[in-house]
Amino acid sequence: MVYKIRGKKRLKGSVKIQGSKNAALPIMAASLLAKGCIILHNCPKILDVYAMLSILKQLGCQVRWDGNTVMISTDGLFSCKVPEKYASSMRSSIMLLGPLLGRIGCADIAWPGGCPIGARPVDIHQMALKKMGVHFEISEKSIFAERKKLHGIEISLPFPSVGATENIIMAAVLAEGTTIIENAAREPEIISLCNFLRSMGAKISNDGKKTLYIEGVHKLEETEFTIPDDRIVMGTYLTAVLGTGGEVFLEGDCTGELGMLVPLAKETGAIMICNEKGLKVNMKEPFHYPARIVTAPYPGFPTDLQSPFLSLFSISGQICTMEEKIFESRFKTVAELEKMGANIRICGQKAWVYGKQYLKPACVNASDLRGGAALVLAGLFAEGETQVCEISHIRRGYQHIDQDLRQLSADIEFIQE
């Protein structure tokens, strides 16, 4: 499968932003905590969601789609084993640790896979869950965990890990006593997970803050919930407009979750209008690009938009630096951007980008989700026809990136080989 992109087209029009990948996956995992039917609206039809649903079916759940609504019946949950076939396809399979321990007392998960962007160890997950009463047996092939009972703890995380925060929350909602998480992750997806769990009867407070409180309950109930729109997809399309120029409306409920991205976009000369319906972006011509960006936990600059911004920096006409503070291997896209004429030098966790006025077309390969999206953007910025191959990585997180961009007047074609 290939995307063929003919670049240098100004974008215009409007597009609806899909449901959030990073919110949907932990929420689907958390559905295991209640016995009954969980109904999730605005669920994105992406490869990672299909993989998570395959895991839930393997564990004994029943799944049914109706448009962008997915219904998950957890009554038949009988297994705690997540085979390598499913776990190796995505990192988010580790999110099943907390729910399985909370619901049936054990979890046997093959080592999670996902994008090759860094080590992403589970040591913080393991440390916290051990304190809650969980026994671990770790092998080269799998993570096995079991408990007699879970109890609340007070814990200060060494790093505000999103995955660890989510797993601790999901384990704590059915634990005895109160759990207090210091230095908790504050990403909007944490708030979405807490809102979902509260709709099931969980007692959670102070989410979105550095200190989070969970009071354990005896039982959670079935529920109906709407997945929020995807702030990273909105940020990707916003970056596309900054590089191509044009005027677009990005329809979605996540404009308040873009953090420092909005002021950064304004620095480039974009005229931005945010409201409850979405984000209007008018980019007549680039005036100035930020000289330095450092990725950081929310509300800092998101690591998921680091690669798209490398593509943008490559046509900035100035020297820019990108420092990656979250994942140590997230510069793999640089080699592909260099095929398109980008001038980038890597020094440790910092990329020096010597921006040009344009990129040249090339045949490039996506090696990870966000890096693949960055190559699509580079194709939009380049003169001539670019081919982006191995696009299954991109389809793990973007439901219809080609259709969305065509709706914004981009010249992009999906080729099924």
Side-chain angles (χ1 to χ4, degrees):
M1 296 184 291
V2 175
Y3 289 138
K4 287 187 178 180
I5 307 157
R6 287 160 285 274
K8 305 301 287 185
K9 306 283 186 181
R10 291 175 66 84
L11 300 184
K12 61 182 179 180
S14 65
V15 67
K16 174 72 175 72
I17 301 300
Q18 69 184 55
S20 169
K21 164 190 178 287
N22 291 340
L25 294 172
I27 285 173
M28 287 192 292
S31 68
L32 295 177
L33 288 163
K35 187 176 182 180
C37 183
I38 306 298
I39 300 174
L40 301 176
H41 302 291
N42 196 36
C43 198
K45 290 185 173 180
I46 54 178
L47 294 186
D48 273 14
V49 163
Y50 290 132
M52 180 63 81
L53 292 176
S54 294
I55 292 173
L56 296 184
K57 288 191 282 188
Q58 183 77 15
L59 298 177
C61 300
Q62 294 183 336
V63 173
R64 182 166 66 88
W65 283 96
D66 182 7
N68 284 326
T69 294
V70 63
M71 286 149 279
I72 305 169
S73 174
T74 65
D75 290 327
L77 177 66
F78 70 90
S79 174
C80 70
K81 185 174 179 61
V82 179
E84 181 182 3
K85 174 183 177 181
Y86 301 107
S88 62
S89 67
M90 62 171 183
R91 174 66 181 176
S92 294
S93 56
I94 196 66
M95 290 294 96
L96 293 156
L97 257 180
L100 285 171
L101 287 166
R103 173 82 181 274
I104 60 177
C106 65
D108 187 357
I109 303 175
W111 275 101
C115 292
I117 58 175
R120 298 194 285 186
V122 298
D123 53 339
I124 302 179
H125 306 244
Q126 185 180 357
M127 173 194 68
L129 292 173
K130 273 186 174 180
K131 290 185 177 182
M132 298 179 75
V134 178
H135 169 72
F136 281 90
E137 293 181 13
I138 308 293
S139 70
E140 292 182 358
K141 294 185 176 180
S142 66
I143 304 167
F144 178 78
E146 63 180 347
R147 53 82 179 169
K148 291 184 178 179
K149 67 177 182 179
L150 293 170
H151 56 80
I153 58 169
E154 293 187 26
I155 185 169
S156 179
L157 301 184
F159 176 81
S161 162
V162 174
T165 300
E166 290 170 337
N167 248 332
I168 298 167
I169 292 170
M170 290 186 283
V173 289
L174 292 179
E176 293 183 4
T178 299
T179 295
I180 302 173
I181 308 173
E182 299 277 2
N183 199 29
R186 296 183 285 162
E187 272 70 5
E189 294 79 22
I190 298 289
I191 298 174
S192 297
L193 174 63
C194 291
N195 286 336
F196 171 72
L197 290 168
R198 275 192 288 265
S199 75
M200 300 167 77
K203 294 182 179 180
I204 306 171
S205 59
N206 225 39
D207 40 304
K209 306 290 176 36
K210 285 188 175 181
T211 303
L212 195 153
Y213 302 90
I214 308 108
E215 182 182 344
V217 298
H218 294 296
K219 183 182 179 183
L220 295 179
E221 304 291 341
E222 58 188 11
T223 190
E224 188 169 350
F225 188 78
T226 299
I227 304 292
D229 294 327
D230 197 310
R231 65 188 177 100
I232 302 301
V233 172
M234 180 176 279
T236 302
Y237 296 167
L238 168 59
T239 309
V241 182
L242 299 182
T244 62
E247 184 174 358
V248 307
F249 180 70
L250 304 173
E251 180 188 347
D253 63 8
C254 50
T255 57
E257 301 173 353
L258 294 177
M260 67 179 294
L261 188 57
V262 171
L264 273 176
K266 288 180 178 179
E267 281 186 35
T268 71
I271 300 171
M272 315 273 285
I273 301 175
C274 302
N275 58 39
E276 68 279 359
K277 293 183 179 179
L279 175 65
K280 185 175 182 180
V281 188
N282 188 348
M283 188 66 176
K284 293 183 179 180
E285 59 178 295
F287 292 102
H288 176 73
Y289 289 93
R292 179 174 181 261
I293 290 179
V294 181
T295 64
Y298 188 85
F301 186 85
T303 181
D304 281 347
L305 290 177
Q306 180 251 90
S307 295
F309 257 73
L310 281 183
S311 295
L312 184 65
F313 281 175
S314 297
I315 59 163
S316 67
Q318 64 185 57
I319 300 175
C320 307
T321 61
M322 176 70 74
E323 189 169 357
E324 175 57 57
K325 291 283 193 176
I326 309 297
F327 295 117
E328 70 274 14
S329 300
R330 205 151 206 174
F331 288 138
K332 290 188 175 182
T333 306
V334 167
E336 301 304 301
L337 288 174
E338 288 176 336
K339 293 179 182 177
M340 302 180 70
N343 187 355
I344 304 173
R345 297 293 178 266
I346 304 298
C347 182
Q349 292 307 107
K350 184 180 290 187
W352 293 81
V353 186
Y354 300 85
K356 302 182 176 182
Q357 298 299 326
Y358 63 91
L359 294 173
K360 64 183 182 182
C363 182
V364 292
N365 296 307
S367 62
D368 64 83
L369 168 55
R370 306 303 175 184
L375 295 175
V376 171
L377 265 57
L380 297 178
F381 304 157
E383 294 184 347
E385 182 178 282
T386 294
Q387 293 189 26
V388 181
C389 306
E390 299 182 29
I391 63 173
S392 59
H393 292 289
I394 303 171
R395 292 159 73 88
R396 287 183 46 227
Y398 294 84
Q399 183 167 316
H400 298 300
I401 193 171
D402 56 321
Q403 293 179 24
D404 288 348
L405 291 172
R406 276 199 301 274
Q407 197 167 325
L408 296 177
S409 302
D411 190 347
I412 177 172
E413 183 181 3
F414 170 67
I415 306 295
Q416 176 79 51
E417 292 185 338

